[in-house]
Amino acid sequence: MLGLGILISGRGSNMDAILTSLSGKTGKVSPKVVISDKADAPGLRIASEKHGVPVQVVPAEGLRGWEYDSKLASALEAYGVTPASGLVCLAGFMRLLSPEFVRRYSMRILNIHPALLPSFPGLHAQRKAIEYGAKVSGCTVHFVDEGTDTGPVILQRAVPVGESDTEETLAERILRVEHELYPEAVSLFAEGRLAVQGRRVRILG
Ligand code: GRF
């Protein structure tokens, strides 16, 4: 059984989509904990009240790098999200993970990014796509490596960028697709169907 830990900092709509996709299933994934670095993240209530998943706040309190991430790792491991059998999903978690954490959970950390990587990495991806004049953008689920939004791509889906789009309308259109794509990627991972060869991720079966 794959022990799932989800890291959030805010509204948690991707977390909600993942947990909803797992609810009622006696599948291969067991949601163990939702952790936030922000005590006021609205997603915490959704996790505990709607989904009955334990939540924990690991406040940053000025801690940086592995100083902070070691607390994160301890919290995850205390709930059974281990480097050997766990999966960590970043869902709007607004911190960069240290190399130590990434190596500890090597190829067991997923992230969703609201653009078609390698276009528009980092913050404000939707705004960057509009300002660039892109006609198509979308979202990417990828493994997390030591860079920012640079890890091997698992799934991508495109959405059109309209001439009258604002950052908000594009973000909304992309978010609807994120909510389908992230649960799909989690389920492919849980079924052992992701074969990573260098940068390329083959989907088996
Ligand atoms: C999403 O747009 C996701 O792609 C990005 O952060 C946002 C998180 O939204 N990484 P939510 O907290 O899941 O609603």
Side-chain angles (χ1 to χ4, degrees), residues 116-178:
L116 296 175
L117 292 171
S119 292
F120 315 122
L123 294 174
H124 307 298
Q126 302 93 333
R127 187 196 306 168
K128 287 176 189 161
I130 290 174
E131 284 172 355
Y132 192 84
K135 303 291 189 195
V136 169
S137 191
C139 52
T140 304
V141 182
H142 62 94
F143 284 104
V144 172
D145 66 6
E146 293 179 27
T148 302
D149 301 327
T150 53
V153 169
I154 300 170
L155 291 175
Q156 290 188 304
R157 202 150 291 162
V159 308
V161 182
E163 283 172 12
S164 57
D165 263 326
T166 61
E167 187 178 357
E168 289 71 32
T169 59
L170 180 60
E172 225 177 272
R173 187 173 314 120
I174 293 173
L175 193 65
R176 281 200 293 274
V177 180
E178 291 182 40

Tab-separated table of all heavy atoms in Angstrom, residues 116-178:
chain	number	residue	atom	x	y	z
A	116	LEU	N	2.854	24.230	-19.687
A	116	LEU	CA	3.449	23.079	-20.362
A	116	LEU	C	4.966	23.213	-20.250
A	116	LEU	O	5.598	23.897	-21.053
A	116	LEU	CB	3.001	23.045	-21.837
A	116	LEU	CG	1.492	22.848	-22.057
A	116	LEU	CD1	1.152	22.961	-23.538
A	116	LEU	CD2	1.024	21.500	-21.505
A	117	LEU	N	5.536	22.571	-19.253
A	117	LEU	CA	6.995	22.667	-19.047
A	117	LEU	C	7.717	22.066	-20.254
A	117	LEU	O	7.213	21.128	-20.858
A	117	LEU	CB	7.380	21.929	-17.749
A	117	LEU	CG	6.877	22.600	-16.476
A	117	LEU	CD1	7.095	21.697	-15.264
A	117	LEU	CD2	7.564	23.946	-16.240
A	118	PRO	N	8.885	22.568	-20.653
A	118	PRO	CA	9.691	23.520	-19.900
A	118	PRO	C	9.329	24.998	-20.119
A	118	PRO	O	10.094	25.869	-19.714
A	118	PRO	CB	11.112	23.241	-20.414
A	118	PRO	CG	10.890	22.820	-21.831
A	118	PRO	CD	9.599	22.045	-21.820
A	119	SER	N	8.168	25.278	-20.752
A	119	SER	CA	7.759	26.690	-20.851
A	119	SER	C	7.259	27.183	-19.500
A	119	SER	O	6.542	26.456	-18.803
A	119	SER	CB	6.626	26.840	-21.861
A	119	SER	OG	7.098	26.585	-23.152
A	120	PHE	N	7.579	28.393	-19.197
A	120	PHE	CA	7.029	29.135	-18.070
A	120	PHE	C	7.136	28.421	-16.711
A	120	PHE	O	6.132	28.183	-16.036
A	120	PHE	CB	5.558	29.498	-18.350
A	120	PHE	CG	5.366	30.036	-19.742
A	120	PHE	CD1	4.495	29.418	-20.639
A	120	PHE	CD2	6.080	31.145	-20.178
A	120	PHE	CE1	4.336	29.894	-21.932
A	120	PHE	CE2	5.929	31.632	-21.472
A	120	PHE	CZ	5.055	31.002	-22.351
A	121	PRO	N	8.354	28.049	-16.308
A	121	PRO	CA	8.534	27.496	-14.950
A	121	PRO	C	8.407	28.614	-13.907
A	121	PRO	O	8.350	29.792	-14.256
A	121	PRO	CB	9.975	26.966	-14.993
A	121	PRO	CG	10.662	27.811	-16.020
A	121	PRO	CD	9.612	28.178	-17.043
A	122	GLY	N	8.381	28.222	-12.651
A	122	GLY	CA	8.367	29.204	-11.557
A	122	GLY	C	6.986	29.801	-11.336
A	122	GLY	O	5.976	29.275	-11.806
A	123	LEU	N	6.967	30.918	-10.624
A	123	LEU	CA	5.701	31.554	-10.237
A	123	LEU	C	5.036	32.247	-11.428
A	123	LEU	O	5.697	32.577	-12.406
A	123	LEU	CB	5.963	32.592	-9.133
A	123	LEU	CG	6.445	32.026	-7.789
A	123	LEU	CD1	6.801	33.166	-6.832
A	123	LEU	CD2	5.392	31.111	-7.166
A	124	HIS	N	3.727	32.488	-11.306
A	124	HIS	CA	2.938	33.253	-12.287
A	124	HIS	C	3.029	32.682	-13.697
A	124	HIS	O	3.151	33.422	-14.678
A	124	HIS	CB	3.374	34.730	-12.282
A	124	HIS	CG	3.349	35.338	-10.922
A	124	HIS	ND1	2.185	35.456	-10.181
A	124	HIS	CD2	4.349	35.818	-10.148
A	124	HIS	CE1	2.470	35.989	-9.005
A	124	HIS	NE2	3.777	36.211	-8.955
A	125	ALA	N	2.947	31.364	-13.785
A	125	ALA	CA	3.094	30.691	-15.090
A	125	ALA	C	1.989	31.120	-16.062
A	125	ALA	O	2.249	31.280	-17.264
A	125	ALA	CB	3.057	29.186	-14.887
A	126	GLN	N	0.776	31.322	-15.542
A	126	GLN	CA	-0.327	31.679	-16.445
A	126	GLN	C	-0.120	33.099	-16.987
A	126	GLN	O	-0.322	33.362	-18.172
A	126	GLN	CB	-1.679	31.595	-15.704
A	126	GLN	CG	-1.973	30.220	-15.105
A	126	GLN	CD	-1.534	30.090	-13.657
A	126	GLN	OE1	-0.600	30.768	-13.208
A	126	GLN	NE2	-2.195	29.219	-12.919
A	127	ARG	N	0.311	34.012	-16.110
A	127	ARG	CA	0.569	35.384	-16.553
A	127	ARG	C	1.681	35.402	-17.610
A	127	ARG	O	1.592	36.085	-18.619
A	127	ARG	CB	0.970	36.251	-15.349
A	127	ARG	CG	1.073	37.726	-15.721
A	127	ARG	CD	1.833	38.526	-14.678
A	127	ARG	NE	1.271	38.365	-13.350
A	127	ARG	CZ	1.875	38.766	-12.233
A	127	ARG	NH1	3.054	39.364	-12.289
A	127	ARG	NH2	1.318	38.578	-11.060
A	128	LYS	N	2.722	34.602	-17.354
A	128	LYS	CA	3.848	34.560	-18.301
A	128	LYS	C	3.390	34.049	-19.669
A	128	LYS	O	3.835	34.554	-20.703
A	128	LYS	CB	4.961	33.646	-17.763
A	128	LYS	CG	5.737	34.231	-16.592
A	128	LYS	CD	6.732	33.174	-16.088
A	128	LYS	CE	7.404	33.563	-14.800
A	128	LYS	NZ	7.991	32.389	-14.113
A	129	ALA	N	2.500	33.058	-19.681
A	129	ALA	CA	2.019	32.512	-20.964
A	129	ALA	C	1.257	33.585	-21.740
A	129	ALA	O	1.430	33.736	-22.954
A	129	ALA	CB	1.133	31.289	-20.713
A	130	ILE	N	0.421	34.353	-21.036
A	130	ILE	CA	-0.350	35.414	-21.703
A	130	ILE	C	0.593	36.502	-22.214
A	130	ILE	O	0.518	36.924	-23.378
A	130	ILE	CB	-1.407	35.996	-20.741
A	130	ILE	CG1	-2.507	34.956	-20.505
A	130	ILE	CG2	-1.993	37.294	-21.297
A	130	ILE	CD1	-3.536	35.358	-19.470
A	131	GLU	N	1.517	36.920	-21.363
A	131	GLU	CA	2.428	38.017	-21.758
A	131	GLU	C	3.326	37.599	-22.926
A	131	GLU	O	3.677	38.409	-23.774
A	131	GLU	CB	3.272	38.463	-20.561
A	131	GLU	CG	2.444	39.307	-19.588
A	131	GLU	CD	3.171	39.621	-18.294
A	131	GLU	OE1	4.290	39.109	-18.090
A	131	GLU	OE2	2.594	40.383	-17.488
A	132	TYR	N	3.644	36.318	-22.982
A	132	TYR	CA	4.495	35.840	-24.073
A	132	TYR	C	3.732	35.786	-25.392
A	132	TYR	O	4.315	35.808	-26.465
A	132	TYR	CB	5.027	34.440	-23.733
A	132	TYR	CG	6.131	33.998	-24.655
A	132	TYR	CD1	7.445	34.384	-24.414
A	132	TYR	CD2	5.853	33.224	-25.776
A	132	TYR	CE1	8.461	33.999	-25.270
A	132	TYR	CE2	6.866	32.843	-26.636
A	132	TYR	CZ	8.168	33.231	-26.382
A	132	TYR	OH	9.174	32.864	-27.226
A	133	GLY	N	2.397	35.707	-25.273
A	133	GLY	CA	1.588	35.573	-26.483
A	133	GLY	C	1.381	34.129	-26.904
A	133	GLY	O	1.056	33.856	-28.065
A	134	ALA	N	1.572	33.201	-25.964
A	134	ALA	CA	1.359	31.782	-26.294
A	134	ALA	C	-0.106	31.558	-26.674
A	134	ALA	O	-1.007	32.181	-26.104
A	134	ALA	CB	1.731	30.920	-25.095
A	135	LYS	N	-0.339	30.703	-27.651
A	135	LYS	CA	-1.708	30.380	-28.079
A	135	LYS	C	-2.233	29.156	-27.340
A	135	LYS	O	-3.434	28.887	-27.346
A	135	LYS	CB	-1.736	30.083	-29.585
A	135	LYS	CG	-1.197	31.215	-30.448
A	135	LYS	CD	-2.126	32.414	-30.422
A	135	LYS	CE	-1.693	33.462	-31.459
A	135	LYS	NZ	-2.354	34.758	-31.200
A	136	VAL	N	-1.315	28.406	-26.767
A	136	VAL	CA	-1.670	27.187	-26.034
A	136	VAL	C	-0.860	27.175	-24.748
A	136	VAL	O	0.320	27.517	-24.750
A	136	VAL	CB	-1.316	25.935	-26.876
A	136	VAL	CG1	-1.428	24.673	-26.047
A	136	VAL	CG2	-2.211	25.836	-28.102
A	137	SER	N	-1.506	26.817	-23.643
A	137	SER	CA	-0.744	26.522	-22.431
A	137	SER	C	-1.344	25.251	-21.834
A	137	SER	O	-1.922	24.463	-22.581
A	137	SER	CB	-0.766	27.700	-21.450
A	137	SER	OG	0.183	27.467	-20.428
A	138	GLY	N	-1.223	25.052	-20.537
A	138	GLY	CA	-1.775	23.824	-19.988
A	138	GLY	C	-1.172	23.512	-18.649
A	138	GLY	O	-0.804	24.413	-17.899
A	139	CYS	N	-1.055	22.227	-18.351
A	139	CYS	CA	-0.453	21.858	-17.066
A	139	CYS	C	0.381	20.596	-17.215
A	139	CYS	O	0.224	19.825	-18.168
A	139	CYS	CB	-1.515	21.694	-15.985
A	139	CYS	SG	-2.859	20.606	-16.433
A	140	THR	N	1.269	20.437	-16.250
A	140	THR	CA	2.258	19.361	-16.277
A	140	THR	C	2.331	18.722	-14.897
A	140	THR	O	2.475	19.437	-13.901
A	140	THR	CB	3.661	19.941	-16.593
A	140	THR	OG1	3.617	20.658	-17.827
A	140	THR	CG2	4.717	18.838	-16.663
A	141	VAL	N	2.252	17.402	-14.846
A	141	VAL	CA	2.614	16.691	-13.613
A	141	VAL	C	3.984	16.084	-13.841
A	141	VAL	O	4.216	15.431	-14.871
A	141	VAL	CB	1.603	15.595	-13.246
A	141	VAL	CG1	2.012	14.916	-11.931
A	141	VAL	CG2	0.201	16.169	-13.116
A	142	HIS	N	4.884	16.345	-12.907
A	142	HIS	CA	6.261	15.866	-13.101
A	142	HIS	C	6.846	15.356	-11.785
A	142	HIS	O	6.364	15.721	-10.699
A	142	HIS	CB	7.138	16.989	-13.676
A	142	HIS	CG	7.273	18.193	-12.784
A	142	HIS	ND1	8.314	18.354	-11.901
A	142	HIS	CD2	6.491	19.290	-12.634
A	142	HIS	CE1	8.159	19.500	-11.250
A	142	HIS	NE2	7.070	20.086	-11.667
A	143	PHE	N	7.877	14.517	-11.922
A	143	PHE	CA	8.659	14.152	-10.753
A	143	PHE	C	9.459	15.376	-10.317
A	143	PHE	O	9.860	16.201	-11.159
A	143	PHE	CB	9.638	13.015	-11.091
A	143	PHE	CG	8.986	11.660	-11.192
A	143	PHE	CD1	8.758	11.079	-12.429
A	143	PHE	CD2	8.603	10.973	-10.040
A	143	PHE	CE1	8.158	9.831	-12.525
A	143	PHE	CE2	8.008	9.717	-10.133
A	143	PHE	CZ	7.783	9.147	-11.375
A	144	VAL	N	9.706	15.478	-9.028
A	144	VAL	CA	10.482	16.607	-8.520
A	144	VAL	C	11.943	16.190	-8.416
A	144	VAL	O	12.270	15.152	-7.826
A	144	VAL	CB	9.943	17.052	-7.143
A	144	VAL	CG1	10.850	18.098	-6.509
A	144	VAL	CG2	8.523	17.604	-7.306
A	145	ASP	N	12.796	16.991	-9.058
A	145	ASP	CA	14.241	16.795	-8.878
A	145	ASP	C	14.799	18.022	-8.151
A	145	ASP	O	14.031	18.789	-7.569
A	145	ASP	CB	14.934	16.503	-10.225
A	145	ASP	CG	14.890	17.689	-11.177
A	145	ASP	OD1	14.430	18.786	-10.751
A	145	ASP	OD2	15.314	17.543	-12.335
A	146	GLU	N	16.091	18.213	-8.212
A	146	GLU	CA	16.674	19.290	-7.393
A	146	GLU	C	16.491	20.679	-7.997
A	146	GLU	O	16.813	21.678	-7.366
A	146	GLU	CB	18.146	18.973	-7.103
A	146	GLU	CG	18.254	17.745	-6.210
A	146	GLU	CD	19.685	17.348	-5.879
A	146	GLU	OE1	20.569	18.233	-5.875
A	146	GLU	OE2	19.917	16.153	-5.629
A	147	GLY	N	16.004	20.762	-9.227
A	147	GLY	CA	15.778	22.071	-9.834
A	147	GLY	C	14.355	22.554	-9.588
A	147	GLY	O	13.562	21.898	-8.928
A	148	THR	N	14.042	23.728	-10.148
A	148	THR	CA	12.688	24.271	-10.021
A	148	THR	C	11.893	23.909	-11.271
A	148	THR	O	12.187	24.403	-12.363
A	148	THR	CB	12.744	25.813	-9.868
A	148	THR	OG1	13.539	26.112	-8.729
A	148	THR	CG2	11.347	26.386	-9.669
A	149	ASP	N	10.920	23.023	-11.104
A	149	ASP	CA	10.046	22.588	-12.200
A	149	ASP	C	10.828	21.944	-13.352
A	149	ASP	O	10.474	22.109	-14.522
A	149	ASP	CB	9.212	23.785	-12.732
A	149	ASP	CG	8.350	24.402	-11.647
A	149	ASP	OD1	7.880	23.669	-10.757
A	149	ASP	OD2	8.149	25.635	-11.671
A	150	THR	N	11.878	21.219	-13.011
A	150	THR	CA	12.741	20.636	-14.052
A	150	THR	C	12.685	19.108	-14.125
A	150	THR	O	13.316	18.522	-14.995
A	150	THR	CB	14.217	21.032	-13.813
A	150	THR	OG1	14.561	20.691	-12.465
A	150	THR	CG2	14.454	22.508	-14.034
A	151	GLY	N	11.970	18.461	-13.228
A	151	GLY	CA	12.020	16.995	-13.170
A	151	GLY	C	11.294	16.329	-14.336
A	151	GLY	O	10.520	16.976	-15.059
A	152	PRO	N	11.508	15.022	-14.527
A	152	PRO	CA	10.896	14.288	-15.642
A	152	PRO	C	9.371	14.423	-15.685
A	152	PRO	O	8.685	14.289	-14.675
A	152	PRO	CB	11.304	12.837	-15.365
A	152	PRO	CG	12.552	12.937	-14.558
A	152	PRO	CD	12.414	14.172	-13.729
A	153	VAL	N	8.882	14.674	-16.896
A	153	VAL	CA	7.453	14.935	-17.113
A	153	VAL	C	6.676	13.621	-17.135
A	153	VAL	O	7.035	12.688	-17.862
A	153	VAL	CB	7.262	15.675	-18.460
A	153	VAL	CG1	5.796	15.734	-18.845
A	153	VAL	CG2	7.854	17.075	-18.376
A	154	ILE	N	5.595	13.570	-16.367
A	154	ILE	CA	4.740	12.373	-16.326
A	154	ILE	C	3.549	12.532	-17.269
A	154	ILE	O	3.303	11.693	-18.126
A	154	ILE	CB	4.268	12.100	-14.885
A	154	ILE	CG1	5.476	11.868	-13.973
A	154	ILE	CG2	3.308	10.918	-14.841
A	154	ILE	CD1	5.142	11.837	-12.491
A	155	LEU	N	2.785	13.592	-17.093
A	155	LEU	CA	1.611	13.845	-17.935
A	155	LEU	C	1.517	15.335	-18.231
A	155	LEU	O	1.871	16.166	-17.373
A	155	LEU	CB	0.318	13.433	-17.204
A	155	LEU	CG	0.044	11.957	-16.935
A	155	LEU	CD1	-1.238	11.820	-16.092
A	155	LEU	CD2	-0.102	11.161	-18.226
A	156	GLN	N	1.031	15.653	-19.415
A	156	GLN	CA	0.762	17.054	-19.748
A	156	GLN	C	-0.564	17.132	-20.481
A	156	GLN	O	-0.926	16.202	-21.207
A	156	GLN	CB	1.845	17.621	-20.677
A	156	GLN	CG	3.169	17.791	-19.980
A	156	GLN	CD	4.188	18.523	-20.823
A	156	GLN	OE1	4.465	18.096	-21.935
A	156	GLN	NE2	4.746	19.593	-20.288
A	157	ARG	N	-1.266	18.233	-20.289
A	157	ARG	CA	-2.482	18.446	-21.071
A	157	ARG	C	-2.566	19.913	-21.456
A	157	ARG	O	-2.242	20.787	-20.649
A	157	ARG	CB	-3.706	18.017	-20.260
A	157	ARG	CG	-4.897	17.695	-21.124
A	157	ARG	CD	-5.797	16.647	-20.492
A	157	ARG	NE	-5.174	15.324	-20.447
A	157	ARG	CZ	-5.590	14.340	-19.664
A	157	ARG	NH1	-6.605	14.525	-18.844
A	157	ARG	NH2	-4.978	13.169	-19.687
A	158	ALA	N	-2.973	20.148	-22.686
A	158	ALA	CA	-2.984	21.509	-23.218
A	158	ALA	C	-4.362	22.146	-23.083
A	158	ALA	O	-5.382	21.450	-23.104
A	158	ALA	CB	-2.583	21.472	-24.686
A	159	VAL	N	-4.401	23.467	-22.938
A	159	VAL	CA	-5.647	24.237	-23.071
A	159	VAL	C	-5.340	25.440	-23.968
A	159	VAL	O	-4.215	25.934	-23.979
A	159	VAL	CB	-6.213	24.718	-21.710
A	159	VAL	CG1	-6.353	23.606	-20.694
A	159	VAL	CG2	-5.393	25.849	-21.135
A	160	PRO	N	-6.346	25.928	-24.708
A	160	PRO	CA	-6.106	27.102	-25.552
A	160	PRO	C	-5.988	28.371	-24.709
A	160	PRO	O	-6.581	28.463	-23.638
A	160	PRO	CB	-7.365	27.155	-26.428
A	160	PRO	CG	-8.409	26.398	-25.686
A	160	PRO	CD	-7.712	25.388	-24.832
A	161	VAL	N	-5.224	29.322	-25.223
A	161	VAL	CA	-5.181	30.655	-24.594
A	161	VAL	C	-5.967	31.583	-25.517
A	161	VAL	O	-5.613	31.735	-26.694
A	161	VAL	CB	-3.731	31.165	-24.457
A	161	VAL	CG1	-3.706	32.522	-23.762
A	161	VAL	CG2	-2.862	30.154	-23.704
A	162	GLY	N	-7.040	32.169	-24.986
A	162	GLY	CA	-7.880	33.047	-25.813
A	162	GLY	C	-7.349	34.471	-25.805
A	162	GLY	O	-6.625	34.876	-24.894
A	163	GLU	N	-7.772	35.232	-26.825
A	163	GLU	CA	-7.277	36.616	-26.925
A	163	GLU	C	-7.774	37.490	-25.789
A	163	GLU	O	-7.132	38.468	-25.418
A	163	GLU	CB	-7.666	37.203	-28.283
A	163	GLU	CG	-6.761	36.654	-29.366
A	163	GLU	CD	-7.178	37.032	-30.772
A	163	GLU	OE1	-8.053	37.909	-30.938
A	163	GLU	OE2	-6.606	36.424	-31.702
A	164	SER	N	-8.924	37.143	-25.238
A	164	SER	CA	-9.445	37.982	-24.147
A	164	SER	C	-9.118	37.399	-22.775
A	164	SER	O	-9.617	37.896	-21.764
A	164	SER	CB	-10.957	38.141	-24.311
A	164	SER	OG	-11.535	36.855	-24.332
A	165	ASP	N	-8.300	36.361	-22.748
A	165	ASP	CA	-7.968	35.764	-21.445
A	165	ASP	C	-7.215	36.735	-20.546
A	165	ASP	O	-6.349	37.481	-20.995
A	165	ASP	CB	-7.088	34.510	-21.637
A	165	ASP	CG	-7.904	33.231	-21.613
A	165	ASP	OD1	-8.897	33.183	-20.864
A	165	ASP	OD2	-7.558	32.295	-22.354
A	166	THR	N	-7.554	36.683	-19.265
A	166	THR	CA	-6.751	37.341	-18.231
A	166	THR	C	-6.029	36.225	-17.490
A	166	THR	O	-6.339	35.042	-17.677
A	166	THR	CB	-7.643	38.088	-17.232
A	166	THR	OG1	-8.495	37.112	-16.602
A	166	THR	CG2	-8.510	39.135	-17.931
A	167	GLU	N	-5.116	36.635	-16.618
A	167	GLU	CA	-4.419	35.635	-15.806
A	167	GLU	C	-5.436	34.760	-15.074
A	167	GLU	O	-5.277	33.538	-14.991
A	167	GLU	CB	-3.515	36.379	-14.808
A	167	GLU	CG	-2.625	35.466	-14.016
A	167	GLU	CD	-1.709	36.231	-13.064
A	167	GLU	OE1	-1.729	37.481	-13.069
A	167	GLU	OE2	-0.981	35.567	-12.314
A	168	GLU	N	-6.505	35.395	-14.584
A	168	GLU	CA	-7.494	34.655	-13.785
A	168	GLU	C	-8.282	33.669	-14.635
A	168	GLU	O	-8.495	32.525	-14.225
A	168	GLU	CB	-8.475	35.627	-13.102
A	168	GLU	CG	-7.881	36.444	-11.971
A	168	GLU	CD	-6.888	37.520	-12.438
A	168	GLU	OE1	-7.077	38.076	-13.564
A	168	GLU	OE2	-5.919	37.794	-11.703
A	169	THR	N	-8.733	34.103	-15.827
A	169	THR	CA	-9.562	33.189	-16.633
A	169	THR	C	-8.719	32.021	-17.149
A	169	THR	O	-9.185	30.885	-17.186
A	169	THR	CB	-10.245	33.907	-17.824
A	169	THR	OG1	-9.234	34.489	-18.664
A	169	THR	CG2	-11.189	35.003	-17.347
A	170	LEU	N	-7.475	32.307	-17.502
A	170	LEU	CA	-6.610	31.207	-17.960
A	170	LEU	C	-6.306	30.253	-16.805
A	170	LEU	O	-6.345	29.025	-16.963
A	170	LEU	CB	-5.314	31.764	-18.568
A	170	LEU	CG	-4.347	30.692	-19.076
A	170	LEU	CD1	-4.981	29.825	-20.169
A	170	LEU	CD2	-3.056	31.322	-19.604
A	171	ALA	N	-6.030	30.828	-15.626
A	171	ALA	CA	-5.728	29.987	-14.459
A	171	ALA	C	-6.902	29.056	-14.160
A	171	ALA	O	-6.712	27.876	-13.855
A	171	ALA	CB	-5.412	30.861	-13.250
A	172	GLU	N	-8.114	29.597	-14.299
A	172	GLU	CA	-9.314	28.797	-14.023
A	172	GLU	C	-9.446	27.644	-15.021
A	172	GLU	O	-9.753	26.510	-14.648
A	172	GLU	CB	-10.523	29.724	-14.197
A	172	GLU	CG	-11.563	29.628	-13.133
A	172	GLU	CD	-12.634	30.653	-13.429
A	172	GLU	OE1	-12.479	31.808	-12.962
A	172	GLU	OE2	-13.595	30.312	-14.162
A	173	ARG	N	-9.216	27.964	-16.314
A	173	ARG	CA	-9.326	26.918	-17.351
A	173	ARG	C	-8.275	25.833	-17.129
A	173	ARG	O	-8.554	24.647	-17.266
A	173	ARG	CB	-9.174	27.549	-18.740
A	173	ARG	CG	-9.448	26.577	-19.874
A	173	ARG	CD	-9.460	27.264	-21.256
A	173	ARG	NE	-10.217	28.482	-21.244
A	173	ARG	CZ	-9.704	29.693	-21.536
A	173	ARG	NH1	-8.458	29.834	-21.909
A	173	ARG	NH2	-10.471	30.764	-21.474
A	174	ILE	N	-7.080	26.260	-16.774
A	174	ILE	CA	-6.009	25.274	-16.534
A	174	ILE	C	-6.322	24.449	-15.288
A	174	ILE	O	-6.128	23.233	-15.269
A	174	ILE	CB	-4.636	25.977	-16.412
A	174	ILE	CG1	-4.238	26.599	-17.761
A	174	ILE	CG2	-3.557	24.998	-15.952
A	174	ILE	CD1	-2.975	27.451	-17.716
A	175	LEU	N	-6.838	25.116	-14.260
A	175	LEU	CA	-7.088	24.418	-12.984
A	175	LEU	C	-8.069	23.262	-13.157
A	175	LEU	O	-7.902	22.195	-12.566
A	175	LEU	CB	-7.617	25.421	-11.941
A	175	LEU	CG	-7.632	24.928	-10.498
A	175	LEU	CD1	-6.210	24.678	-9.982
A	175	LEU	CD2	-8.334	25.936	-9.585
A	176	ARG	N	-9.085	23.482	-14.006
A	176	ARG	CA	-10.068	22.397	-14.229
A	176	ARG	C	-9.364	21.159	-14.778
A	176	ARG	O	-9.692	20.032	-14.423
A	176	ARG	CB	-11.166	22.866	-15.199
A	176	ARG	CG	-12.210	23.738	-14.523
A	176	ARG	CD	-13.498	23.780	-15.346
A	176	ARG	NE	-13.310	24.471	-16.618
A	176	ARG	CZ	-13.410	25.789	-16.775
A	176	ARG	NH1	-13.704	26.552	-15.735
A	176	ARG	NH2	-13.221	26.349	-17.955
A	177	VAL	N	-8.394	21.381	-15.640
A	177	VAL	CA	-7.654	20.252	-16.229
A	177	VAL	C	-6.678	19.665	-15.198
A	177	VAL	O	-6.475	18.451	-15.136
A	177	VAL	CB	-6.929	20.718	-17.515
A	177	VAL	CG1	-6.168	19.575	-18.143
A	177	VAL	CG2	-7.942	21.286	-18.496
A	178	GLU	N	-6.089	20.527	-14.369
A	178	GLU	CA	-5.197	20.037	-13.301
A	178	GLU	C	-5.921	19.001	-12.448
A	178	GLU	O	-5.342	17.986	-12.054
A	178	GLU	CB	-4.749	21.196	-12.394
A	178	GLU	CG	-3.802	22.190	-13.046
A	178	GLU	CD	-3.367	23.285	-12.083
A	178	GLU	OE1	-3.111	22.978	-10.902
A	178	GLU	OE2	-3.288	24.445	-12.499
